[in-house]
């Protein structure tokens, strides 16, 4: 009896020690050898970014010209007001606009500048006095009697970051300063919305994060037209000559780009890098056959058929071999001699004066009729010099649209200065930078959060150190961008948001993430079962047996005590 | 004033851009027919300064961007389906190995050549819809002597050269379409209308290539320009597509006739080789042309009938040109090509083997040196000490050997030799190799098909029978002006051998799982018995009562009687 008991104890001990060895050595070994390398990711910070609380701060300086405030008011004037406005977009995204308004009176030099005969000259000389930083505004309040502005114009928006605001007729001198400020406030806000950012622009820029409600369709249409924010764009001008037998076309694209396009792009260089090239394509036809209109003895393209024009042409355009930036295509189509002249017809059968159209997020096409060059007895091929000023005027307007420089109609009573040689006013650039930075932040946060989600869901993906590094740098840049937006440093905010977008895209599209081997669970089990099943079943069974025996013994002991 | 400025513009265009197209048809003695297209685009631009050029007219934008982005000095790429049979067909105007071949000279401003090369191959694979992205360090070599720049420029430091072949590459329509897109007229006008893929790929040999190089504009080389040559060579088989009749026409070959030249081309010509047919006894050519031209091609003076497509009267009254060659006799013999080479693998079993390369010099009395380039993948481990070169039964010591041993999974073997071929002889180069075992993920999708080893390249200056024309300024047909000719007495030839197909020891690919299952079972059985021995306690047990006794006990239990 005693020997069997000893034997049984020995067996139990052996089973227990084998189980212990399996658990202490085997399981960690198996775990370590089958583990995938997953570098640490800043998950908590990413979660914070998933709940985005953006604050946009704009500095406004309101300068009272002589004759708008009384001397007593003047004494109180150097003061600062801050207004905040909070808007919740959806449960994860909230916006807060903060306007910091500083009031002061005009200096003598500024007074001199405001005494210039016309608003444009005043604008120019005010600009030479001081340069306001990117993202800030200066509003000059001028007396009602000022001759700077025409009768029906109350606000003049200059080429830089200044606006002239004519004080209303009801604000005669004598009212209190508070009343004056209360009168000015809504109007200044209106100026701000034109010159820096409006709620519609910002929500449109957030389209990557936020699903749209149908009430702001117009801003969606605007944002759908413009290209998505990207660190660089490739601009390609293509001259399509479907009939080289009849037309020998010459276009001075180098000169035209230098004269018309380059100034705009230089101005836009803080927003993105641009590269320009051009090509000539022969024997490229449009995808639709134009219809002959006998009343005008011309061929016409309907607005409805324009959608089918691009596809066959695009096959010839060629993709950009040298970079992966989005391409803006501008095509100049010279119709062949048999189908000339060719006019584009609008939806209401009216002629489109520019004879051009654009395709959202793709580019623009202009039809250039050359039958005026034929003369009385054309001798083919005809040499034709293309009038680049006419062409580039159209393309420049399309380029502004496609880049998202919005030319929304100003509210009544506003006069917007014609943009100068650069094709872009400073405040338009600011506006673009505001919406681009917000868009970049939105895109980068969605990229980073979806990457984090994906990595969280699929445990098999290897996360290398370089990806972790990209993710952390994206998160840092994002935090910096948000902070700079909050501080109102627009230039830095855009810079950081661009870095964030680059790093996040790089992490998201890193090829090493795809190295997830196809190793589904059923196959894993098929490999484990032949070893693990025969090894684990006896261990488990003997453990169960030991437990049940121990329990029984305890019960017996209990029974004995009782 | 307008007219004057237009005129000036025209001159400008003439100087800056030039496009020529050309088709050479050579009736072969086997009854097959060889058609070679060449399209040349010249673009005068200052490329060496590295300034960004971005306005393209006749030159295709995609290639221009590639050149400027990757600082390419010269780029040669060819896609070939089928093997050029030198002994039957003679030398091709532009040789190319089966599969894909790419060699690039980079400018000396490139700092990281390998990274640039990798990126370039990826971009080119996108442009040409080919698997060039499979070019990596394991099939790229830097030949020291065989591939010299064909354009201007004296950089011969082979650090800036990369050469790779993909002998397995299959060439088909998807490669032809992007190639045609690079032509200014596309396939809409000019000679390119003949390029219909269903006919071109229904042939014994098809090769298309793109060569980009800088060339001199004039003999003083004051101005330089980029030259883009697109060539397409095709051999139509007599029996396959001639329906047994010895008769050829443009329509039969390409199912198209010609109606116009490309309006952008400054010259557009068709050449028919009639050297062997001076009196019309071999074949008959219609419509007849009085225009004859002589050119030095491959060391021989050849005579061609020329059809100039820019002249309206070429097309005759029917306004379409359908060239017809009707054979009269099957006799006549071809001038044997002076240089020719073969290669094969010898040996048995899956462990070792031997590569034999045979080089034939058919010249009756002249010996000449050849450069042999061999690039062998790492999984054939060459025993370089077994390298022997013999001609006419005697050891022939190469005067120059450049050998770079392979590194497993990193780079291939590179063997370059300068060998003197004695007159009228066969020179045999043999080297033994051992087949390596690959890891199971390194096998190609169809490993039992075998593994390809790219063609050997033999480059040589072959003595010519006639004096060559070294005057580079004279207008010459495109097909005779590709390889620069510096000596009057010899001409440059490049010969490619057959690619090799070598079997490697191939495992059964379900093996890993079988091994796992088997070892696991063995381990489990051993473990199970060991476990039993260790944990079970053994004791003697009373034998269990028999069946009858148990039944009796059940009955006794029911009756309430104590059991037995």
């Amino acid at each position: 009896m005693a020997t069997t008991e000893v034997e049984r104890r020995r067996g139990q001990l052996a089973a227990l020690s084998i189980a212990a060895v399996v658990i202490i050595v085997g399981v960690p070994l198996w775990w370590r050898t089958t583990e995938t390398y997953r570098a640490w990711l800043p998950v908590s910070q990413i979660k914070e970014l998933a709940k985005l609380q953006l604050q946009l701060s704009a500095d406004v300086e309101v300068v009272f010209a002589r004759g708008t405030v009384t001397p007593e008011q003047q004494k109180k004037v150097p003061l600062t007001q801050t207004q905040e406005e909070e808007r919740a977009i959806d449960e994860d995204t909230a916006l807060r606009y903060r306007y910091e308004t500083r009031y002061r009176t005009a200096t003598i030099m500024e007074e001199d500048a405001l005494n210039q005969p016309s608003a444009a000259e005043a604008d120019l000389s005010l600009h030479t006095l001081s340069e306001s930083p990117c993202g800030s505004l200066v509003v000059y309040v001028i007396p009602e009697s000022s001759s700077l502005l025409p009768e029906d114009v109350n606000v003049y928006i200059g080429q830089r970051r200044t606006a002239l605001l004519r004080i209303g007729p009801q604000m005669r001198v004598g009212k209190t300063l508070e009343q004056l400020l209360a009168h000015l406030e809504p109007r200044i806000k209106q100026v701000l919305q034109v010159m820096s950012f409006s709620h519609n622009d910002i929500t449109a820029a957030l389209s990557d994060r936020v699903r749209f409600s149908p009430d702001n369709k117009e801003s969606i249409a605007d944002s759908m037209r413009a290209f998505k924010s990207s660190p660089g764009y490739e601009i390609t001008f293509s001259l399509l000559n479907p009939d080289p037998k009849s037309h020998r076309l010459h276009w001075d694209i180098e000169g035209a780009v230098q004269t018309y396009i380059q100034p705009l792009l230089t101005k836009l260089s803080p927003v993105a890098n641009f590269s320009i090239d051009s090509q000539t394509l022969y024997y490229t036809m449009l995808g639709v056959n134009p219809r002959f209109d006998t009343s005008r003895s011309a061929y016409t393209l309907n607005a409805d058929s324009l959608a089918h024009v691009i596809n066959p042409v695009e096959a010839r355009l060629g993709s950009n071999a040298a970079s992966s930036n989005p391409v803006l295509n501008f095509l100049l189509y010279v119709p062949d001699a048999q189908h000339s002249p060719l006019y584009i017809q609008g939806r209401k059968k009216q002629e489109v004066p520019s004879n051009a159209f654009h395709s959202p997020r793709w580019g623009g096409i202009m039809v250039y009729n050359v039958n005026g060059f034929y003369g009385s007895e054309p001798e083919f091929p005809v040499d034709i010099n293309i009038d680049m000023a006419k062409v580039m005027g159209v393309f420049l307007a399309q380029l502004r649209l496609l880049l998202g420089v919005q030319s929304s109609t100003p509210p009544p009573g506003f006069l917007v200065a014609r943009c100068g040689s650069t094709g872009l006013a400073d405040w338009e650039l600011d506006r673009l930078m505001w919406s681009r930075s917000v868009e970049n932040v939105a895109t980068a946060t969605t990229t980073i959060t979806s990457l984090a989600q994906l990595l969280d869901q699929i445990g098999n993906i290897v996360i290398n150190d370089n990806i972790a590094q990209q993710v952390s740098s994206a998160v840092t840049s994002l935090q910096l961008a948000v902070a700079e937006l909050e501080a109102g440093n627009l230039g830095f905010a855009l810079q950081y948001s661009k870095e964030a977008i680059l790093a996040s895209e790089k992490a998201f599209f890193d090829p090493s993430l795809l190295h997830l081997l196809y190793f589904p669970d059923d196959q894993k089990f098929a490999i484990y079962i032949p070893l693990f099943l025969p090894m684990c079943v006896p261990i488990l069974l003997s453990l169960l047996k030991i437990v049940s025996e121990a329990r029984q013994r305890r019960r017996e002991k209990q029974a004995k005590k009782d | 004033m307008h007219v004057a400025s237009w005129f000036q513009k025209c001159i400008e265009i003439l100087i800056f851009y030039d496009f020529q197209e050309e088709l050479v048809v050579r009736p072969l003695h086997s009854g097959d027919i060889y058609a070679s297209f060449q399209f040349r685009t010249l673009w005068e631009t200052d490329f060496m300064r590295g300034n960004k050029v971005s306005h393209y007219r006749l030159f295709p934008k995609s290639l221009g961007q590639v050149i400027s982005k990757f600082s390419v000095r010269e780029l040669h790429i060819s896609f070939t389906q089928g093997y050029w049979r030198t002994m039957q067909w003679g030398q091709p105007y532009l040789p190319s190995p089966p599969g894909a071949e790419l060699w690039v000279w980079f400018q000396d401003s490139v700092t990281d050549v390998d990274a640039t090369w990798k990126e370039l191959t990826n971009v080119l694979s996108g442009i040409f819809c080919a698997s060039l992205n499979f070019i990596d360090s394991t099939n790229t070599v830097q030949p020291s002597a065989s591939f010299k720049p064909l354009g201007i420029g004296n950089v011969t430091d082979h650090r800036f050269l990369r050469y790779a072949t993909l002998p397995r590459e299959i060439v088909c329509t998807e490669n032809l379409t992007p190639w045609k897109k690079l032509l200014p007229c596309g396939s809409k006008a000019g000679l390119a209308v003949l390029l219909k893929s269903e006919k071109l790929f229904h042939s014994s040999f098809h090769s298309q290539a793109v060569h980009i190089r800088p060339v001199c504009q004039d003999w003083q080389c004051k101005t330089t320009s980029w030259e883009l040559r697109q060539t397409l060579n095709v051999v139509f088989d007599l029996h396959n597509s001639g329906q047994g009749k010895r008769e050829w026409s443009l329509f039969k070959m390409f199912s198209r006739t010609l109606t116009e030249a490309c309006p952008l081309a400054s010259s557009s010509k068709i050449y028919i080789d009639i050297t062997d047919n001076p009196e019309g006894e071999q074949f008959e050519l219609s419509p007849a042309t009085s225009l004859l031209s002589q050119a030095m091609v491959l060391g021989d003076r050849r005579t061609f009938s020329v059809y100039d497509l820019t002249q309206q009267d070429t097309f005759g009254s029917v306004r379409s040109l359908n060239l017809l060659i009707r054979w009269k006799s099957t006799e006549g013999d071809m001038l044997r090509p002076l240089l020719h080479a073969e290669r094969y693998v010898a040996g048995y079993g899956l462990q070792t083997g031997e590569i034999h390369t045979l080089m034939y010099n058919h010249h009756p009395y002249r010996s000449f040196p050849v450069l042999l380039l061999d690039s062998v993948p790492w999984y054939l481990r060459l025993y370089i000490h077994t390298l022997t070169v013999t001609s006419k039964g005697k050891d022939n010591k190469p005067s120059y050997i450049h050998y770079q041993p392979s590194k497993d999974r990193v780079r291939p073997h590179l063997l370059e030799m300068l060998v003197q071929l004695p007159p009228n002889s066969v020179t045999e180069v043999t080297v033994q190799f051992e087949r390596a075992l690959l890891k199971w993920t390194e096998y190609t999708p169809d490993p039992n098909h075998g593994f390809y080893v790219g063609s050997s390249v033999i480059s040589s200056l072959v003595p010519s029978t006639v004096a060559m024309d070294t005057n580079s300024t004279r207008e010459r047909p495109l097909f005779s002006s590709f390889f620069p000719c510096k000596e009057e007495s010899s001409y440059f030839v490049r010969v490619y051998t057959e690619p090799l197909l070598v079997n490697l020891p191939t495992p059964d690919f379900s093996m890993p799982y079988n091994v796992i299952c088997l070892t696991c079972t063995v381990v489990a059985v051993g473990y199970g018995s060991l476990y039993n021995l260790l944990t079970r306690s053994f004791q003697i047990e009373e034998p269990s009562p028999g069946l009858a006794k148990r039944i009796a006990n059940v009955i006794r239990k029911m009756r309430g009687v104590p059991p037995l």
Side-chain angles (χ1 to χ4, degrees), chain A residues 52-58 82-90 92-100 189 197-199 202-203 206 434 438 482-488:
Chain A
L52 190 63
Q53 163 78 46
L54 266 184
Q55 178 177 314
L56 308 184
S57 309
T82 312
Q83 285 162 7
E84 289 195 0
E85 190 183 334
E86 207 149 336
R87 304 264 190 123
I89 307 293
D90 66 356
D92 286 338
T93 317
L95 283 173
R96 194 194 295 153
Y97 304 119
R98 186 160 170 278
Y99 307 106
E100 202 167 292
K189 204 168 204 180
F197 51 81
S198 68
H199 184 63
I202 300 301
T203 40
L206 284 170
W434 280 115
V438 172
V482 171
E484 295 292 352
L485 273 183
E486 222 159 284

Side-chain angles (χ1 to χ4, degrees), chain A residues 236-294:
Chain A
T236 304
F237 295 98
S238 306
L239 172 63
L240 306 187
N241 183 1
D243 192 8
K245 263 169 113 179
S246 329
H247 302 143
R248 212 178 285 152
L249 303 175
H250 310 293
W251 70 338
D252 178 25
I253 184 72
E254 287 96 334
V257 161
Q258 276 308 322
T259 326
Y260 302 102
I261 305 290
Q262 203 56 54
L264 174 68
L265 298 186
T266 317
K267 189 102 194 222
L268 279 171
S269 57
V271 180
N273 299 323
F274 294 91
S275 77
I276 305 176
D277 40 41
S278 76
Q279 60 181 343
T280 312
L281 297 174
Y282 301 92
Y283 289 105
T284 30
M285 305 288 183
L286 297 183
V288 285
N289 282 329
R291 197 171 298 156
F292 189 68
D293 187 352
T294 39

